[in-house]
Amino acid sequence: MNYTLNQLHIFLKIVETRSITKAAEELNLTQPAVSIQLKNFQNQFDIPVTEIIGRKIYITDFGKEIAEISRSVIDKLYELNFKTLAYKGHITGKLKISVVSTGKYVMPFFLSEFLKTHNKIDLMMDVTNKNKVIESILGNKVDFALVSLIPASLQIEKIDLLQNKLFLVGNKLPDPKETKNLKKFLENSPLIFREKGSGTRQIMEKFLDSNNIFLRKKLELTSNEAVKQALIAGLGYSIMPLIGIKNELQNKDLVIIPIAGLPLSSTWSLIWQKEKIHPPIAGAFLDFLKTNHLQIVESKFKWYEQYI
């Protein structure tokens, strides 16, 4: 067999994207070039690795097994490069992390010193909604994911990084008489939600359900930034993670509304699949976090204390 490392990379990208066109785009190659390399790769085997049905490409069971072996081969080659550079005092390669949208206020602080120390590492951090983050972990597309709620069905290992506190927030304090009756106040106030699949929304809905609160007015927005702007504009209230509203609280654009039962709590955790064999770069980052994460919390998130 005479398949090349380039063919392995291209085949894995086709497996990941389920599309020759998308694979070509992500690899910055032409579609014909990807098709030729896939054909040359296929010619190494007597059993099909892909099949075309209609206009869609599907990976055969044999192809999936070949993809797993290919991924292992590439990981081992990365490890070979890593070992060579490690002897020279360098770590290089890609660190892939998927982060829920609010996690963009958390993860950079835990990456900063590591990336400064190992400046030859390429970081690939995908900021998206919780459902897609979980998909990326289950699909083994990333080394780690940052979440604040972990589905019970997931078989994962984790390292807890930071408390996640959620408060009721608006652009001004209501009359204290209005908030004495929590149920009445919230049922008569327009509440702003994140989109379905958001961890923040799940926490918010659980709180409302546990207090038998049924809403008359409800807005749904698809990002924390959109929710913040709606709150600043006075469109209503929302239960939001403290981590994402630091500047707005300090600038007095938003205020925390004290009500019974809040703040709500969860934990920002870095997770990975149980029994996952980490490539060297991911292993080095995990070792860094185990040694330094408490110090990072103390130095970068001390402002938390005035609200918790």
Side-chain angles (χ1 to χ4, degrees):
M1 292 188 178
N2 297 309
Y3 42 76
T4 65
L5 182 60
N6 185 46
Q7 288 171 353
L8 295 182
H9 275 295
I10 289 173
F11 178 60
L12 284 176
K13 185 58 68 174
I14 293 169
V15 171
E16 178 186 326
T17 61
R18 296 294 197 273
S19 166
I20 290 176
T21 301
K22 289 180 181 177
E25 290 173 357
E26 294 191 20
L27 293 168
N28 294 316
L29 297 171
T30 65
Q31 187 173 331
V34 170
S35 296
I36 290 169
Q37 290 301 322
L38 176 61
K39 182 180 179 182
N40 291 340
F41 185 66
Q42 173 64 80
N43 287 341
Q44 309 296 315
F45 307 98
D46 296 327
I47 304 170
V49 295
T50 63
E51 58 183 352
I52 305 294
I53 301 176
R55 299 184 67 181
K56 290 186 178 181
I57 188 168
Y58 294 87
I59 312 303
T60 64
D61 288 341
F62 176 71
K64 290 174 184 177
E65 291 188 24
I66 294 300
E68 286 303 312
I69 295 170
S70 299
R71 191 173 286 111
S72 176
V73 168
I74 289 173
D75 286 344
K76 287 297 182 184
L77 288 172
Y78 276 131
E79 185 174 352
L80 179 65
N81 291 334
F82 172 84
K83 292 293 184 184
T84 303
L85 288 163
Y87 274 102
K88 297 179 180 179
H90 300 296
I91 299 177
T92 188
K94 292 180 181 178
L95 179 65
K96 295 175 284 186
I97 303 175
S98 187
V99 177
V100 294
S101 58
T102 311
K104 65 178 175 283
Y105 303 110
V106 177
M107 199 68 238
F109 294 101
F110 291 94
L111 285 162
S112 178
E113 286 303 316
F114 180 74
L115 294 178
K116 285 178 184 176
T117 304
H118 306 292
N119 57 16
K120 294 186 181 298
I121 289 176
D122 293 327
L123 173 66
M124 298 176 65
M125 190 169 81
D126 182 30
V127 180
T128 184
N129 65 40
K130 182 187 171 187
N131 288 342
K132 291 183 178 178
V133 168
I134 297 304
E135 284 176 14
S136 69
I137 280 287
L138 292 177
N140 202 32
K141 297 177 182 177
V142 295
D143 300 307
F144 303 106
L146 182 72
V147 296
S148 61
L149 285 179
I150 303 172
S153 59
L154 277 189
Q155 297 296 309
I156 55 92
E157 296 183 56
K158 67 187 178 79
I159 177 170
D160 294 334
L161 298 182
L162 183 71
Q163 278 192 314
N164 183 31
K165 295 287 188 177
L166 298 96
F167 293 83
L168 184 68
V169 180
N171 71 344
K172 62 181 180 180
L173 288 170
D175 188 323
K177 294 178 183 177
E178 295 179 35
T179 58
K180 274 188 176 180
N181 187 327
L182 172 66
K183 180 176 171 67
K184 183 178 179 182
F185 173 69
L186 290 178
E187 286 186 342
N188 288 282
S189 300
L191 285 193
I192 303 171
F193 285 71
R194 285 286 309 279
E195 78 283 2
K196 288 184 178 179
S198 159
T200 298
R201 178 176 178 139
Q202 289 178 25
I203 294 173
M204 188 171 172
E205 288 180 331
K206 186 176 180 180
F207 172 75
L208 296 173
D209 289 343
S210 66
N211 287 278
N212 296 314
I213 294 169
F214 303 96
L215 302 181
R216 295 185 177 87
K217 296 180 181 179
K218 181 176 172 181
L219 302 175
E220 182 177 308
L221 300 175
T222 58
S223 73
N224 275 324
E225 294 304 316
V227 172
K228 284 195 291 188
Q229 293 307 313
L231 294 175
I232 292 170
L235 292 182
Y237 303 96
S238 187
I239 294 176
M240 294 197 73
L242 178 62
I243 191 69
I245 55 174
K246 175 185 177 183
N247 292 336
E248 288 74 17
L249 291 174
Q250 291 179 342
N251 295 336
K252 302 189 185 306
D253 292 323
L254 295 176
V255 295
I256 290 173
I257 299 161
I259 63 171
L262 293 181
L264 304 173
S265 294
S266 63
T267 303
W268 289 108
S269 300
L270 197 72
I271 65 172
W272 59 95
Q273 282 205 64
K274 189 168 280 190
E275 299 180 357
K276 178 177 175 64
I277 300 173
H278 290 296
I281 293 164
F285 180 55
L286 194 56
D287 289 341
F288 168 82
L289 285 181
K290 289 175 179 177
T291 303
N292 296 285
H293 87 273
L294 292 178
Q295 179 184 341
I296 294 169
V297 171
E298 175 64 25
S299 63
K300 302 299 183 182
F301 299 96
K302 196 169 182 60
W303 64 272
Y304 245 49
E305 295 176 4
Q306 63 185 297
Y307 299 102
I308 295 176

